[in-house]
């Protein structure tokens, strides 16, 4: 019976392990999902790109240069074609870094219809840098098409997902680590208790536990009070120095605080009809019961125990 109570602590280890494994799974699924948002084999190849609907995923491969227009819109130059795309600052920085190092650059995003403001940005810049080949806003769709590649919205969505994943992962990992620490502390407490007990005592305790009164992680036996809320604590009635009841609003519950002669503390949460203080007094006539001025003064003077 006692070993079975000790094993209840391993539940914390199972929970903490499950939480850490769940965190890993969330991170993997997050990466799979974000990759799925951008991954595509559809090449945005020319100005006459036809999309069955907006938000079709596409990519621009072999980017040779990008020129800033306005409001995150960029002119995208490849060997064969000029495009317009809306990029995040990080994406623009990454592309420039790749081009600087002579690496291939590909832009992934969604196809969206171009608005009038974007057309103006493109036409103004295009006419400034072109060799006499100007276009007007009215000619834009005929020469450049109706669409542009929207990378920024996709990038912002991925960033939000990644940030949420990081926050959730940090919370879960912190919880998992906290539970692991509690498990280790409880396990050490159980081990130290077991070291103090002889085989005869363990046998006696097990026998008493089989007929004990149980209330909220507390066993009340003929000679012992056992609590396993934070590791296993075991107190003999004869070793109790002081005990009192904390005032709580629930009339059906008692919070009993117990101090042993070794000044070890136990707090138990039990049904009030058990009348634990009466049981303690019955087993130990010398026990100090209640937070009276006389008891508190004696504890402070003789045991250097100050209780608020």
């Amino acid at each position: 019976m006692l070993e079975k109570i000790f094993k209840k602590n391993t539940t914390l280890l199972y929970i903490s392990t499950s939480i850490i494994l769940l965190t890993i799974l969330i991170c993997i699924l997050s990466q799979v999902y974000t990759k799925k948002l951008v991954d595509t084999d559809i090449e945005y190849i020319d100005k006459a790109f036809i999309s069955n609907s907006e938000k079709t995923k596409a990519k621009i491969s072999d980017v040779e240069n990008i020129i800033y227009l306005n409001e995150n819109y960029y002119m995208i130059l490849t060997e064969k074609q000029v495009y317009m795309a809306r990029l995040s600052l990080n994406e623009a920085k990454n592309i420039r870094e790749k081009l600087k190092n002579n690496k291939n650059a590909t832009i992934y995003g969604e196809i969206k219809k171009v608005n009038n403001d974007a057309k103006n940005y493109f036409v103004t810049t295009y006419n400034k840098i072109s060799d006499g080949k100007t276009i007007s806003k009215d000619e834009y769709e005929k020469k450049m098409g109706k669409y542009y590649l929207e990378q920024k919205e996709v990038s912002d969505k991925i960033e939000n997902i990644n940030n949420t994943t990081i926050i959730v992962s940090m919370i879960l990992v912190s919880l998992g680590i906290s539970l692991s620490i509690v498990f280790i502390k409880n396990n050490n407490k159980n081990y130290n208790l077991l070291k103090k007990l002889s085989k005869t005592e363990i046998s006696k305790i097990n026998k008493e536990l089989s007929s004990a009164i149980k209330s909220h992680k507390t066993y009340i036996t003929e000679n012992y009070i056992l609590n396993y809320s934070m590791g296993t604590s075991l107190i003999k009635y004869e070793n109790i120095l002081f005990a009192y009841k904390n005032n709580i609003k629930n009339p059906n519950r008692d919070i009993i605080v117990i101090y042993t002669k070794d000044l070890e503390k136990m707090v138990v949460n039990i049904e009030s009809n058990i009348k634990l203080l009466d049981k303690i007094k019955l087993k130990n006539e010398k026990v100090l019961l209640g937070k009276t001025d006389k008891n508190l003064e004696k504890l402070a003077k003789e045991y250097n125990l100050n209780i608020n």
Side-chain angles (χ1 to χ4, degrees), residues 23-256:
T23 305
I24 294 171
L25 180 61
I26 288 172
C27 291
I28 292 172
L29 292 177
S30 174
Q31 291 301 308
V32 171
Y33 180 68
T34 52
K35 185 180 179 182
K36 190 176 179 181
L37 284 177
V38 298
D39 199 21
T40 180
D41 292 326
I42 300 174
E43 191 75 40
Y44 184 18
I45 52 176
D46 56 47
K47 62 180 173 46
F49 185 93
I50 302 299
S51 172
N52 293 326
S53 63
E54 284 194 50
K55 295 190 176 179
T56 296
K57 290 186 291 185
K59 63 180 180 179
I60 301 174
S61 301
D62 302 321
V63 175
E64 293 186 348
N65 194 11
I66 61 173
I67 301 171
Y68 182 68
L69 303 176
N70 203 348
E71 293 185 355
N72 294 105
Y73 286 98
Y74 287 80
M75 186 184 296
I76 311 298
L77 284 71
T78 67
E79 184 179 356
K80 298 178 180 178
Q81 184 68 34
V82 178
Y83 305 91
M84 181 160 58
R86 189 164 173 260
L87 310 178
S88 66
L89 292 176
N90 283 338
E91 181 69 5
K93 182 179 177 181
N94 290 336
I95 292 170
R96 289 194 172 110
E97 191 67 29
K98 287 180 180 179
L99 296 176
K100 182 180 177 181
N101 295 313
N102 296 318
K103 293 181 179 179
N104 289 331
T106 301
I107 303 172
Y108 293 88
E110 295 176 343
I111 297 299
K112 298 188 74 173
K113 286 186 178 179
V114 67
N115 59 42
N116 288 330
D117 287 340
K119 290 177 186 177
N120 284 333
Y121 303 149
F122 187 94
V123 168
T124 300
T125 302
Y126 183 86
N127 289 341
K128 284 181 181 179
I129 64 173
S130 63
D131 297 329
K133 298 178 181 179
T134 61
I135 61 171
S136 66
K137 180 183 172 183
D138 295 334
E139 296 175 313
Y140 178 89
E141 287 191 8
K142 182 179 179 182
K143 294 188 175 182
M144 304 304 302
K146 298 179 180 180
Y147 304 97
Y148 75 99
L149 191 70
E150 175 61 66
Q151 185 275 334
K152 187 178 184 299
E153 285 184 6
V154 178
S155 178
D156 289 345
K157 186 175 182 180
I158 291 173
E159 185 177 355
N160 289 335
I161 292 170
N162 288 339
N163 289 339
T164 302
T165 301
I166 289 170
I167 292 170
V168 171
S169 298
M170 288 177 67
I171 293 171
L172 290 176
V173 168
S174 298
L175 179 60
I177 291 173
S178 299
L179 290 176
S180 297
I181 291 171
V182 172
F183 164 76
I184 292 169
K185 286 183 176 180
N186 290 354
N187 209 45
N188 288 338
K189 191 174 182 181
N190 293 347
Y191 176 73
N192 290 332
L193 173 62
L194 201 57
K195 278 201 309 182
K196 294 177 182 177
L197 299 174
S198 66
K199 290 184 179 180
T200 304
E201 285 178 307
I202 292 173
S203 178
K204 180 183 177 183
I205 293 166
N206 282 332
K207 186 176 180 181
E208 291 192 15
L209 284 171
S210 62
S211 58
I213 298 171
K214 185 184 177 185
S215 176
H216 303 281
K217 297 186 177 182
T218 300
Y219 285 92
I220 300 165
T221 78
E222 185 68 22
N223 295 288
Y224 301 93
I225 300 172
L226 183 148
N227 179 271
Y228 61 92
S229 58
M230 290 296 289
T232 307
S233 298
L234 183 70
I235 291 177
K236 284 185 178 181
Y237 290 116
E238 63 188 47
N239 197 36
I240 296 175
L241 169 67
F242 173 58
Y244 66 92
K245 181 170 71 172
N246 256 347
N247 293 323
I248 57 172
K249 294 181 180 179
N250 191 337
N252 300 316
R253 314 274 303 161
D254 282 343
I255 304 294
I256 306 297

Side-chain angles (χ1 to χ4, degrees), residues 264-289:
E264 292 181 6
K265 182 180 178 181
M266 176 190 284
V267 180
V268 297
N269 185 346
I270 59 173
E271 281 89 359
S272 56
N273 60 7
I274 293 175
K275 300 188 183 302
L276 181 57
L277 291 179
D278 292 344
K279 290 182 183 294
I280 293 172
K281 185 65 175 178
L282 187 64
K283 294 289 183 177
N284 183 349
E285 294 181 356
K286 295 182 180 180
V287 68
L288 302 176
L289 289 183

